[in-house]
Amino acid sequence: MPASAIGQTQTDAPIASDQQNEEIEFKADTLDYDFTNDVVTAKGNVILDRDGYKLRADQVVWDRKTGQVVAEGNIRSTSPDGDIAYGDRIELTDSLRDGAIENLLLVLDDGSRLAAQRSERFTDGSVALHNAAYTACAVTTEEGCPKKPSWQIKAVKVIYDPVKKRVKYEGARIEIFGLPVIPLPGLSHPISDENRSGILVPDVKFDTVNGVGVTLPYYISIAPNQDATVTAQVFTDVAPLISGTFRSLDQKGAFQITGYATYGSRIPAGASDILPNAENDFRGYFATSGRFRLDEKWTVSQSARIVSDRTFLRRYDISDDDSLRSTINLERISDSSYFSLAGWAFQTLRVDDPQNRVPVALPVIDYRKRFDDPILGGRLQIQANSLAIGRSEGQDTQRAFGSARWDLRKLTDWGQEITFTGFVRGDVYHSDDNALNETAIYRGLGGWQTRAVATAAIDVKWPLIGEAFGGTQTITPRFQIVASPGLANLSLPNEDSRAVDLEDSNLFALNRFPGYDRYEDNVRATYGLEWEINRPNLQVNMIAGQSYRLENNSNIVPSGTGLSDRFSDIVGRTNVRFKDIVKFTHRYRLDKDNLAIRRNEIDATVGSKSTYAQIGYLRLNRNIGSELEDLRDREEVRVGGRYQIDKYWSVFGSAIIDLTDRSEDPLSIADGYDPVRHRLGVAYDDGCLSMGVTWRYDYEDTGDAQRGSTFLFRLALRNLGV
């Protein structure tokens, strides 16, 4: 080749390697070839490409006799996996896979960085770095200015394996905000999103019952769709706790199994003395859940939870539930029908609630069918339902019914929306051991009982829409008449219609009871008014209403529920939303006679996503006797909030206070101001480093789940975990 043709501007030419019969593609501003020494020199925006390995530099000298490639100036080397290495000077072989790099900066494909004074890259693509540092944090600000990472790991030696996507350290320590915090002997972790086995970040907490506790989880990657986590929790004041979780996901669905186990002392719930009542025994908890889609219409789901004793979950801060539910359900869902075959079981964790009185529901069968073709101009839906409830010591009940509902909706020329409804249902009940039911109005008569239900209803809405207050205003008067013949409700057992309460959500329902066992009879008229205003950034919605029946209904609805007399109480709801700053909901029920507040419920949030305050208040003042546990009065307030100090730091807190006293609930032992739990904490989160300290205080004693403080320290580092 003539000499004048060798040094060209923007040369892009493949040059063959004699040793491997492969090509390295060069691109450079100038390219010079020394025939005597067999040396290729490329200068100016040099780019080398071989088998997916790319190198960019100001100058590259390739000695074809020795195979050595030396690159200098603004070096950038990219592997086929997307890892990018920056350096001042790189010595490589002509495969571009192995060599030595000075002042290396290695940017991995997930954005994390490895830096070292000196490094070596081997033929398998692995890199050994000496006097190195690793971080997954950004090292520049949003404006592009350099900044120190919030955390980094410094080590004498770091080995990066691009095949396993894993980093191993020798002599490592972690630095947070530039301060050496934790030595990390034998540390290794992945740098990809793939599941890999290893140790997860531990948790540290302290509480007055268990002492200092350290939680160390170990993650096991079984397959791409299966994994497990085994966790050891060690405490200073109690025996260790072992737990494990297994998860699986396939094309049909997913399930998981979780278990906890320990052997130690416990205090039975309700015990008055700590030491005499303490017992050493196995304690544990088991939970499983899953859902599988058999085909386009059929699914099966299950969940099961069982615990060894009533205080285990609270003692080890696993859950605050007062009962555990286990279910299994086979469902078929189509465009016009629904079928369910289910079973339910419960384990009570309440102190004074005997387990032998807790029901098991098996089977629970429900079928519904909607006919798409109009019948007499309206929509018809049928339902069949069956339920069997059993108790080891208590009332047993079996129920079955079939129903049909027909709805016809019409719009008049004046804009009224009129809905005509017809409803019929036939019920068959059988019950045993009715006398064991402690609440008389829930027992019903033993043996076989039947009931026939027929209801006719007309519902009229008249929305009036217009401009007002700079927006759109809608005023909707509503009137409904419902008529049903008298029913012998008290002859049937009541299992699912006990917690009845008139509110805005059921004001215009055909049946205001929450279940099927009780049904409102007689003739009643319900009337109400809904007002809505929509402005830019502001929405307000209000509804209020009341009902009147020809005869009172105190025989099946206790006084104080708002439904027992001819005139019901007045119920309403107000919703206010201003931008995303204010969210306010108020629900209420006013006594029909003296407008006393029987239900007062407030939920409000003010602020942004980062800084906000929340308050929740509930008061149920039904004036019902203590014999109906499902309708006991209660008053409580819940407050919480978060304040964003700056971009990364925030403080937060919450509290629950029981305001119930004996004048409201004769069974309550509260004095009108009884804190239940409060929580305070501080947190830092910059997307790379997340840490926080939380203090929680519980005020209730139940067995060995005693009142006291709990401190939890949380630390999470991006990419570190296994």
Side-chain angles (χ1 to χ4, degrees), residues 514-526:
Y516 299 110
D517 292 338
R518 291 291 181 263
Y519 194 90
E520 284 190 89
D521 53 10
N522 206 267
V523 178
R524 71 176 185 269
T526 306

Side-chain angles (χ1 to χ4, degrees), residues 177 643-651 682-685 691:
F177 301 125
Y643 175 70
Q644 194 75 28
I645 301 173
D646 59 18
K647 188 175 182 179
Y648 304 127
W649 288 95
S650 63
V651 294
V682 58
Y684 175 91
D685 192 344
M691 63 180 183

Side-chain angles (χ1 to χ4, degrees), residues 188-471:
S188 70
H189 63 84
I191 49 86
S192 70
D193 295 332
E194 297 180 10
N195 294 339
R196 297 181 184 275
S197 301
I199 298 175
L200 301 175
V201 177
D203 287 334
V204 179
K205 68 178 180 180
F206 167 80
D207 62 62
T208 54
V209 178
N210 299 327
V212 178
V214 178
T215 301
L216 186 63
Y218 187 87
Y219 177 81
I220 304 171
S221 179
I222 302 173
N225 65 325
Q226 292 182 343
D227 62 18
T229 303
V230 179
T231 303
Q233 299 185 49
V234 182
F235 306 93
T236 57
D237 296 347
V238 294
L241 176 68
I242 301 297
S243 64
T245 298
F246 172 79
R247 302 185 302 176
S248 179
L249 172 67
D250 58 31
Q251 294 180 347
K252 293 291 185 179
F255 75 95
Q256 72 173 30
I257 301 173
T258 299
Y260 290 78
T262 187
Y263 185 87
S265 63
R266 70 178 180 91
I267 304 170
S272 57
D273 237 350
I274 296 180
L275 293 178
N277 291 281
E279 301 175 356
N280 285 319
D281 200 356
F282 168 82
R283 308 184 70 183
Y285 168 65
F286 173 82
T288 178
S289 63
R291 183 177 179 86
F292 295 92
R293 191 175 184 90
L294 305 181
D295 57 29
E296 294 182 355
K297 297 180 179 179
W298 287 93
T299 61
V300 59
S301 59
Q302 61 82 24
S303 66
R305 301 175 68 192
I306 187 171
V307 68
S308 60
D309 56 83
R310 302 195 181 197
T311 60
F312 177 81
L313 296 179
R314 282 193 56 196
R315 170 71 180 268
Y316 292 96
D317 202 19
I318 300 171
S319 171
D320 292 324
D321 293 338
D322 60 2
S323 67
L324 302 182
R325 182 182 67 185
S326 298
T327 68
I328 185 168
N329 191 11
L330 175 66
E331 290 180 298
R332 183 186 186 277
I333 302 176
S334 68
D335 294 337
S336 60
S337 66
Y338 171 79
F339 170 79
S340 170
L341 173 61
W344 301 71
F346 303 88
Q347 181 183 9
T348 182
L349 305 183
R350 299 177 182 177
V351 174
D352 300 322
D353 195 4
Q355 181 63 42
N356 55 14
R357 298 293 180 93
V358 177
V360 174
L362 182 71
V364 182
I365 303 173
D366 190 52
Y367 174 75
R368 306 180 191 193
K369 171 68 175 179
R370 184 185 68 243
F371 295 91
D372 295 330
D373 295 333
I375 298 178
L376 299 177
R379 179 70 60 87
L380 178 65
Q381 178 175 302
I382 61 173
Q383 180 181 6
N385 182 279
S386 178
L387 168 68
I389 290 180
R391 297 174 175 87
S392 58
E393 294 184 18
Q395 180 175 338
D396 297 334
T397 302
Q398 298 85 43
R399 178 195 72 202
F401 72 77
S403 68
R405 175 169 174 163
W406 174 82
D407 292 286
L408 173 63
R409 178 175 174 266
K410 292 290 187 180
L411 294 176
T412 69
D413 294 338
W414 283 18
Q416 294 100 335
E417 178 184 339
I418 304 176
T419 302
F420 299 93
T421 300
F423 178 78
V424 293
R425 194 175 86 191
D427 304 336
V428 178
Y429 280 78
H430 182 271
S431 58
D432 298 304
D433 298 324
N434 300 61
L436 297 178
N437 193 328
E438 297 177 354
T439 307
I441 67 171
Y442 295 158
R443 293 174 185 168
L445 301 178
W448 292 96
Q449 304 293 330
T450 61
R451 177 177 60 184
V453 177
T455 299
I458 180 172
D459 192 317
V460 181
K461 300 179 184 178
W462 194 358
L464 306 172
I465 305 174
E467 295 182 359
F469 309 107

